[in-house]
Amino acid sequence: MKKNFIILSVLFFISSCTNPDHSLFIEAESFSNTGGWVVDPQFVEQMGSPYHLAHGLGKPVADAVTEVSVPEAGKYHVWARTMNWAPGEWEAPGRFKIIVNDKPLRNVLGTEEGWDWQYAGAINIKDTIVFLKLQDLTGFEGRCDAVFLSKTKKSPPDDPAELRTWRL
């Protein structure tokens, strides 16, 4: 019963964020199954929201999974709000991928310095029910704040004030 309530709550939240250009804003902490990811509320005041953290001590954690309903079938561009928490000359430690309906998207995420939207790739969605997964690649503190699906390839807003209105 609790699982059904969570899924219905997530679907209600997501559908309330639907807008005329058929885009969806999905908070990572609303995923129905966190897998091995944890919800980290440490920076809520700065970010306006908790985020998912893959804390596997060097061993990739189980995928976070959720089911969402898109307004219509078609090609969607997928973005994730994320950050590389240890930028430098080395490969980013908190890398992850987004998987849509068991198809990994092209780009590896968690590689950009500072919280920002990274483009995960595009996917052709044939049904309105979609399964999203966050797949940890390193086990070293991957971070995902939100996922954005849109019919256009325009990046979501990153301005904190504007982003705050999306979260309401």
Side-chain angles (χ1 to χ4, degrees):
M1 180 71 163
K2 184 176 179 181
K3 184 178 178 182
N4 289 342
F5 172 77
I6 291 170
I7 289 171
L8 288 174
S9 297
V10 169
L11 290 174
F12 173 76
F13 172 78
I14 291 167
S15 65
S16 69
C17 294
T18 304
N19 57 35
D21 72 353
H22 302 291
S23 62
L24 295 174
F25 179 83
I26 305 147
E27 299 267 7
E29 68 271 14
S30 71
F31 273 46
S32 57
N33 180 346
T34 59
W37 295 70
V38 296
V39 176
D40 188 342
Q42 186 175 193
F43 298 104
V44 169
E45 291 217 6
Q46 294 91 337
M47 296 194 35
S49 172
Y51 57 89
H52 262 18
L53 176 69
H55 181 65
L57 298 171
K59 199 175 212 183
V61 302
D63 297 346
V65 182
T66 200
E67 177 181 319
V68 297
S69 178
V70 295
E72 65 182 27
K75 182 178 180 180
Y76 282 83
H77 297 275
V78 182
W79 300 80
R81 189 162 187 267
T82 184
M83 73 173 294
N84 175 359
W85 60 272
E89 299 296 317
W90 47 83
E91 193 168 41
R95 297 179 315 276
F96 67 96
K97 288 194 109 173
I98 293 179
I99 299 171
V100 179
N101 292 339
D102 292 324
K103 294 178 184 162
L105 297 180
R106 174 182 55 158
N107 297 326
V108 174
L109 306 168
T111 59
E112 304 285 325
E113 186 174 352
W115 283 102
D116 204 355
W117 290 100
Q118 272 191 275
Y119 185 66
I123 186 133
N124 190 21
I125 296 174
K126 296 178 181 160
D127 194 359
T128 58
I129 301 298
V130 176
F131 292 92
L132 295 177
K133 293 180 185 179
L134 301 179
Q135 180 186 48
D136 176 29
L137 300 176
T138 68
F140 284 116
E141 314 301 327
R143 288 167 166 81
C144 182
D145 173 41
V147 177
F148 181 70
L149 283 77
S150 177
K151 299 284 259 176
T152 63
K153 195 178 175 181
K154 182 180 176 198
S155 176
D158 202 45
D159 174 67
E162 190 175 357
L163 195 53
R164 196 173 6 263
T165 64
W166 281 41
R167 295 186 192 280
L168 296 177

